[in-house]
Amino acid sequence: MSRLVYFIRPKGQRGPVKIGCSATPENRLLTLAVWCPYELEVLAAAPGGFDVERRCHLKFARDRLHHEWFAHSPELDAFIEHVATHGVFPDLPHLPLPKPTPRKHKS
C-alpha cells in the first residue's frame, strides 16, 4: 500500500501544522478530529513514506511544538504550497536524512 505524507492544520488558522504519513490522509483527519476542538483540513499530500515524513520533521525541527505538530512559518507555508501545487516535495534529495535508529539485540 502506498503512503502519502500530509499536512493538516486547524481550518482558517495558520498553525499548528501536523506533518504525518498515511495511506489515507482524509481518514487520518477524521481520526484526529475526534480529539481536536477545532475543525481540521488537509492542506496538501504527496507520495512518500515514513522516511520522507522524518525528513520533513528534520527540515522543520526548529518549529516543532510537540511530536508531529509544528508552528507556522513562512518556510513551512512555502513548502506546503509547493506540495499542494505540484504534488511532489521540493528538493527531496536535499532534505535532511534521519539518523539510523540503533537496533536492540536480543540476549
Side-chain angles (χ1 to χ4, degrees):
M1 177 181 295
S2 62
R3 296 192 181 278
L4 300 169
V5 174
Y6 62 81
F7 302 85
I8 290 176
R9 75 173 173 207
K11 199 171 203 174
Q13 297 183 34
R14 296 175 75 166
V17 176
K18 183 179 187 311
I19 302 172
C21 181
S22 174
T24 55
E26 291 295 335
N27 288 346
R28 184 69 178 122
L29 180 135
L30 295 173
T31 302
L32 290 169
V34 170
W35 300 101
C36 184
Y38 307 104
E39 185 178 357
L40 300 172
E41 63 182 336
V42 176
L43 301 170
F50 293 112
D51 180 61
V52 174
E53 175 197 32
R54 285 190 296 274
R55 287 174 175 225
C56 291
H57 288 180
L58 286 170
K59 179 172 179 60
F60 298 104
R62 73 178 180 281
D63 299 321
R64 185 185 306 271
L65 297 171
H66 186 70
H67 295 283
E68 296 184 344
W69 290 91
F70 297 80
H72 163 268
S73 72
E75 184 183 13
L76 180 55
D77 272 355
F79 191 85
I80 293 168
E81 181 62 31
H82 185 279
V83 173
T85 303
H86 303 287
V88 295
F89 293 93
D91 298 325
L92 183 59
H94 301 291
L95 288 178
L97 288 170
K99 293 179 182 175
T101 305
R103 299 196 186 269
K104 293 182 181 180
H105 297 285
K106 294 183 180 182
S107 326

